[in-house]
Amino acid sequence: MTDNADLAALIRTIPDYPKPGILFRDVSTLLLDGPGFRAAIDRLAATIDPGVDLIAGIEARGFIVASALSYALTKGKVMLRKTGKLPGATVGIDYALEYGTDRIELHKGAVRSGQRVLVVDDLIATGGTALAGIALLRSEGAVVDEARFLVDLPDLGGAAKLRAAGVNPVSLMAFEGE
């Protein structure tokens, strides 16, 4: 992966959000920059195997990145949403958070057995939501062996957890520190 310092410069860091000691990496400033966002999508798209069948976006900022990649690659997009947000029949999986649990769902039948699905989000931190999405997609028969992110926070270990689960995570930028 190239250094992508030009894109990293477009990511705002907000100290002490959402709690003291955290450095929040805000991708909204990258999204505000049209040429920067286009460059980010083009660079991510260039890393994706054309044999991928669907792009799975994780709610909510992951939808933005996944939609742009889906458009650029002429691939369908499946939404991985928080519970109760999808109309019709859904399948879901519960997963642990730092303080409690959450649930992610997709439409029943949105993924066919054997389809190669790429998981996409704006940022990989601890990996909990991405791993839940991967498990959910795999439970529906999807082949998930790749994931893409704009930003990796390597100190939080999410990318390593994805690799341990047999998924190759690729990010355009990495920021040290929480």
Side-chain angles (χ1 to χ4, degrees):
M1 187 64 32
T2 63
D3 144 338
N4 292 309
D6 59 328
L7 300 179
L10 298 173
I11 304 287
R12 174 173 55 174
T13 299
I14 301 174
D16 299 320
Y17 182 83
K19 61 184 184 180
I22 301 293
L23 294 173
F24 185 82
R25 307 305 178 164
D26 182 17
V27 301
S28 70
T29 51
L30 171 65
L31 301 177
L32 283 167
D33 187 288
F37 181 54
R38 173 177 246 167
I41 295 303
D42 289 347
R43 292 175 198 176
L44 271 182
T47 72
I48 298 171
D49 183 322
V52 165
D53 298 305
L54 287 173
I55 310 290
I58 298 174
E59 186 167 344
R61 290 178 304 268
F63 288 172
I64 297 165
V65 179
S67 293
L69 286 172
S70 180
Y71 175 82
L73 299 170
T74 322
K75 303 291 182 182
K77 181 183 158 307
V78 61
M79 295 182 289
L80 302 178
R81 299 215 60 188
K82 297 191 185 283
T83 190
K85 300 286 186 172
L86 292 170
T90 62
V91 292
I93 189 169
D94 296 320
Y95 63 101
L97 297 170
E98 189 175 354
Y99 302 105
T101 62
D102 208 346
R103 183 172 178 84
I104 196 166
E105 299 177 335
L106 63 91
H107 275 125
K108 189 178 262 188
V111 176
R112 293 186 315 276
S113 184
Q115 279 188 305
R116 283 195 65 216
V117 180
L118 174 75
V119 171
V120 173
D121 206 351
D122 65 321
L123 183 142
I124 180 79
T126 64
T129 306
L131 286 168
I134 290 161
L136 177 57
L137 290 161
R138 286 176 173 171
S139 76
E140 293 298 293
V143 175
V144 184
D145 56 10
E146 296 280 332
R148 296 294 182 274
F149 306 94
L150 295 172
V151 173
D152 178 20
L153 303 178
D155 294 346
L156 297 179
K161 291 176 189 171
L162 266 61
R163 282 189 288 278
V167 176
N168 177 37
V170 174
S171 301
L172 290 181
M173 300 159 270
F175 290 92
E176 302 296 327
E178 293 185 24

